[in-house]
Amino acid sequence: MGLGGLLVGLFLVSAVLVGTSVRHGVSRAEPEPEPELELAEWDPASGAFPEDSLWPLPQSLRTSPRQLQLAPDRFQIVHGAGSSAGPACALLQDAFRRYYEYMFGYARWLQRGRKGLAAKPELAQLQVVISSPEPGCNGYPQLASSEAYRLTITEPVAVLKADEVWGALRGLETFSQLVHEDDYGSFLVNASEIYDFPRFAHRGILLDTSRHYLPLKSILTNLGAYSYNHIYTPTDVHLVIEYARLRGIRVIPEFDTPGHTQSWGQGQKDLLTPCYSGKQPSGSFGPVNPILNTTYDFMTKFFKEISSVFPDDYIHLGGDEVSFACWKSNPEVKEFMKKQGFGIDYAKLESYYIQKILDIVSSYNKGYVVWQEVFDNKAQLKPDTVIEVWMGNNYVQELSSVTGAGFTAILAAPWYLDYISYGQDWKKYYSVEPLDFPGSEKQKKLVIGGEACLWGEFVDATNLTPRLWPRASAVGERLWSSRNVTDLKDAYKRLSNHRCRMLSRGIAAEPVFVGYCAHEARRR
Amino acid sequence: MGLGGLLVGLFLVSAVLVGTSVRHGVSRAEPEPEPELELAEWDPASGAFPEDSLWPLPQSLRTSPRQLQLAPDRFQIVHGAGSSAGPACALLQDAFRRYYEYMFGYARWLQRGRKGLAAKPELAQLQVVISSPEPGCNGYPQLASSEAYRLTITEPVAVLKADEVWGALRGLETFSQLVHEDDYGSFLVNASEIYDFPRFAHRGILLDTSRHYLPLKSILTNLGAYSYNHIYTPTDVHLVIEYARLRGIRVIPEFDTPGHTQSWGQGQKDLLTPCYSGKQPSGSFGPVNPILNTTYDFMTKFFKEISSVFPDDYIHLGGDEVSFACWKSNPEVKEFMKKQGFGIDYAKLESYYIQKILDIVSSYNKGYVVWQEVFDNKAQLKPDTVIEVWMGNNYVQELSSVTGAGFTAILAAPWYLDYISYGQDWKKYYSVEPLDFPGSEKQKKLVIGGEACLWGEFVDATNLTPRLWPRASAVGERLWSSRNVTDLKDAYKRLSNHRCRMLSRGIAAEPVFVGYCAHEARRR
C-alpha cells in the first residue's frame, strides 16, 4: 500500500543452496505417497543419507558414513586462522549466534536421556575463513557478490571457506542442515566435503504491499496510503534492509508507474491524468499524467529520496499494465500526442514517460528493472536495463527476444505464486528450466535469475507465510542448484524435510503433503 | 490423526444467521472492484445501512434511521423478566460476557476523544428472555433444537426473545453485529426489529484431523496415532465439546471404516485385511477385515466408548472410497464371499460389514451419518440414516435418489473447501442452491443442510484458519438465510465486513479481496 504498486523484492530468503550430489542421480526417494498410504514425512533422525536434509542441493557434495558428534555445550562456530573477518564482523557474529540457535537452541528445553551412545569422534568447531581482503561485513549484497563457499567437515574441526561473508552465510546454512539429532538426543554430522555456488545470481521473491498492507516494515511517505497508520516509517524501512543484509538478502523497492498509481493521487495533486466522459472530466483519474512538467518535478524529488533510502544498486520502476483508455479520453493528452508526432500510438506516449523516468533514476546512479511491456513497447533503454518477464502466455519467446536484443532478463512468468491450485503445485514451479528457450550461449548468460511473485489481491498477513513457503522454496532450488537436479521424488523428500525445518525455525510453512514432522514428535 | 479417518464435524461456527431484509432486493452494493480500483472494504463506521454489517442476513429485518447510543461503562446484557433462564445459566452468562467483549472490549485500549457528539437516546440494556420451560442451559444443541429468535431494539431497552438458549446465542451474535462505532468513538445501534431462524438445521464444517494433526484437542486412544504425542486426550475431547456447546455447536465425530483405516492397523492386530500377491501375503494391508468375529468384537467395544464420550445423537460412520482390490486378493475373503452367496459382488461384502457396524451403533441409541457410497451400494439402512452426498460429478441426481428413497440428506459435494483455486471462489459456494434438484416437496424437506469440508491433505495448523474463513462463511449464509438472498454484490460488501469482524475477534480469516479493515485503521 502507500504509493500504488510498492513492492519489496527480496532475494530468496535463507537456505538458498544447490547441487550435483555424488550420490545424486540414483533415486533413493520413495514413490510419492498415495493419499491412502499416509506416509510420514521423512524423519531426519533416521539419517541414512545426510543429503536428504539439504535444500537446495549443493553443487558438489561428498559425504562419508563416518559420523561426528557435536556437544552443544562445547561446540563453537569461530573465525578461522587467516580469515579477513574477525570478531569485529557483526554480520558474522550475528550469523554464528543465529545458526547455533537453529542447531541446538531447542535442545535446552528437552529432558533427554543420553543413554546407549556409541563413542564417536567429536567435532569441536566450525572455523569460518573469509579470504577476500574486503569480506563485506559492513556492505550490502549485490548482484555480483560471491556466494560461493567450500565446507569441509572432518574431526576435530570443520572448515568453511568463502571469498566474502555472503558465501559464508550460505555455508552456515548448509552446515546447519547437515547437523541432525538421533533418537537418543545426540547431535551428529557426517564427515563431508562440499563445494557450492548459485547457478543464478538473482533469486528473488516479490511481495506486494499495495493490495494489502503487510506489517513487514517499509517506506517513507505518509501521503497516499489508505489510512494514516498503514504506512512504513523510515525506521521500518531501515529495519527491513538491515534484517535482510544480515542474511545476505537484497531489498529492491518497486515504485510502479505510470499505471497502478490510484493511491498516489491522494497524496499529490495533478499527478494523475483526469479522465473525460465526452467533453467533461468524469471525476475519475487514470495513469500518471505524462504531459505536465510538474509530474517530472515530483518524480525527480521522489526518486532522489528513494535512491538515498534504499542502498541497493537497482530500483524496480514497474511500467506494466498501463491502460490507455483515460489518456485517450483526455483532450489535452490528445493535443500533446499530436504535437509530439505520436499519432494515435499511445505506447509511444508511455515510452516517452518511461524514458524520462529512466533518465531521472539514472542520474542518481541507480540501475533499474522494468516489466516486459517497457521493452515490448520499444522504449529506448540503457543497455544495462533489467527486463522482468512476467506474461505467462509466451515467456519462452519473450526471453529469446529480450536477450536477443542484448538485455538482461529476470524470469517471473512461471512463478506467480498468487495463482493457487489444488495439490502439489510446487512440482510445476520446480520443473521449469529457465534457460530452455531458443538462443545463443551469450543470450543464456543474460538470464540472471528469476522471481517468485506473490501478488496481494488475496494475500495479507493472515495467509502470507503458509502461501509463500515452501512453494517459493521450489523456485529457490531451481535457481540455486545445478540444472540436472530435477528428480521430483528426491526433491519431495528433501522439501518435506526442509518444510519441517522451517517450522522448527518459526516459519509457518504449509505442509507439502500428508504426514508429520519428526521434531513435532520430539518436542511436544 | 489417530484412528484413520477421524474427523470432527462441527456446525458452522458462530454467527450463522440469515434474511429477507425489508431493504433487500434493491441493490445498494457497489460493483465488484476491479484490481486497479483498489476499493476499500466497507467501513462499518459509515453506518448508512445497518444490515451491511450482518452475516448471515436474518430472515426478516426492519431498521430505522433512528440511532441509539450505548455507553460501554453502563450498558448491560441481562436476563429479562419472565425468562426461564437466570444467573444460574452459565451458558448465557458466558455468552453475555463474550459478546460484551466483542462489542466493547477493545474500546478500553483506545484514547478516544469523545467530542462533537449529538445528543442521542441511550440504549441501556439488552434483556434476554427464554420462553421454554427447559431453556437448555445444561444441555447440548441437537438437530431439532430451536435457533429462532426475535430481537427488538428500541430505547430504553432492547429485548431478545428465544424459545431456547440456542436461539438467544444467534440473537446475541446479530445484536453484536448491529452495534458499531462512529468516527468519534461512540457506540451506536439503529432501532431495529428482527425475526430470524435458520433455513436448514444442519450447517456443518468438516475438519480432517487424520491427514495432519490439528492441535484442536480431541480423542481417546493412544494406539494408532502417528506418534505418541499426536493424540487427543479425553480432556482435550471434553474441552472441545464444551467449547462448542457454549456456542451452540454440535460436535460429531467421524470414524471412517472399512476404508481409510491404515493407521488403525498399528493399534489393533488382525483388524485389517492382509493383501495377497498371488498365493502369498504381500505384507501390506487393505480395508478392515469384514470376515472375522474379532473385528466386530473390537468395533463393539470401540463404539461403546465413543458413544459415551461424544454426547451428540449422531456418529459419522464413513463408508467412503473402499477399494476392493485387497479383499479380492485374499483367498479367505473369497471363500467367505462364496459361503455368503455374494458371488463376486464386493459391494455386497461392504454392505455386510456396514450393516453390522450400523447395528452395533444403533444398540447404543445413536443415529448415524454415512457417505453416499453406503446408499449407492444398497446397504439396508434404518430409515433415520443420514446420507452425506459428497461426489461432485452428479450430486443433483444423487440428492434426488437419496431423498426419493426416503432418506435424510446432507449436501457436501459443492463445498469441498480443500479444492482451492485463484480468486473469489466464495461466490461459487454461495451460488449453490441445495434444493435445486428434481423431487417433491416432501423430498426437499429431507435435505437437512450441508457441510463445508476441509480435507487435510494440504492443510494443517499453519494454514487451516485462513483457508477456512471466510470461505466457509459463504456456505454459512447459504444454509441459514432465505433462498432468495443471492445478490453477490450485496454479499461481497457484507462478507468483507464480516471478515474484518472475524479479524477483530481474533480469527485470522483471509482477505476477500483488496482493501483494508476499518478497525485496522482505528486500532494501530
Side-chain angles (χ1 to χ4, degrees), chain A residues 1-2 6-8 206-218 229-232 236 240 454-456 458-465 468, chain B residues 511 515 520 524:
Chain A
M1 149 159 341
L6 163 63
L7 308 170
V8 181
L206 181 151
L207 300 180
D208 173 2
T209 64
S210 75
R211 268 82 175 195
H212 289 100
Y213 180 82
L214 296 176
L216 269 181
K217 333 259 173 191
S218 310
N229 44 25
H230 275 184
I231 59 163
Y232 299 105
D236 290 338
V240 170
L454 191 60
W455 296 100
F458 303 101
V459 176
D460 69 4
T462 62
N463 56 0
L464 175 75
T465 302
L468 188 57
Chain B
E520 290 185 79
R524 279 170 196 278

Side-chain angles (χ1 to χ4, degrees), chain B residues 57-229:
Chain B
L57 208 54
Q59 298 285 350
S60 162
L61 164 70
R62 287 170 197 275
T63 56
S64 134
R66 181 173 172 79
Q67 293 192 311
L68 315 179
Q69 195 166 342
L70 294 80
D73 45 358
R74 287 193 298 271
F75 180 81
Q76 289 186 77
I77 309 177
V78 298
H79 299 281
S83 178
S84 57
C89 184
L91 183 144
L92 282 185
Q93 293 295 123
D94 190 68
F96 293 175
R97 189 170 51 237
R98 186 166 70 247
Y99 280 103
Y100 181 89
E101 284 293 318
Y102 286 158
M103 291 186 286
F104 311 117
Y106 70 89
R108 285 189 301 237
W109 304 99
L110 296 175
Q111 297 285 353
R112 287 173 297 122
R114 298 179 169 276
K115 54 188 174 185
L117 286 188
K120 284 181 178 148
E122 183 170 334
L123 185 71
Q125 289 189 336
L126 171 62
Q127 299 181 348
V128 178
V129 180
I130 309 296
S131 56
S132 165
E134 299 198 7
C137 296
N138 301 310
Y140 290 91
Q142 298 175 312
L143 191 61
S145 294
S146 168
E147 294 177 281
Y149 66 91
R150 191 177 292 275
L151 177 62
T152 309
I153 303 174
T154 184
E155 77 248 37
V157 296
V159 178
L160 169 60
K161 288 185 180 166
D163 281 351
E164 307 180 21
V165 292
W166 319 116
L169 290 172
R170 305 300 173 245
L172 284 166
E173 174 66 34
T174 299
F175 182 81
S176 77
Q177 294 190 0
L178 286 170
V179 172
H180 59 277
E181 200 180 347
D182 72 8
D183 289 344
Y184 303 99
S186 293
F187 290 94
L188 302 172
V189 64
N190 289 57
S192 312
E193 172 88 45
I194 291 165
Y195 176 56
D196 199 12
F197 56 87
R199 182 180 174 206
F200 293 100
H202 188 103
R203 306 176 308 280
I205 289 176
L206 182 151
L207 300 180
D208 173 3
T209 64
S210 75
R211 269 85 174 193
H212 289 100
Y213 180 82
L214 297 176
L216 270 180
K217 334 262 173 188
S218 311
I219 292 313
L220 331 146
T221 175
N222 58 0
L223 303 174
Y226 273 122
S227 60
Y228 67 91
N229 45 25

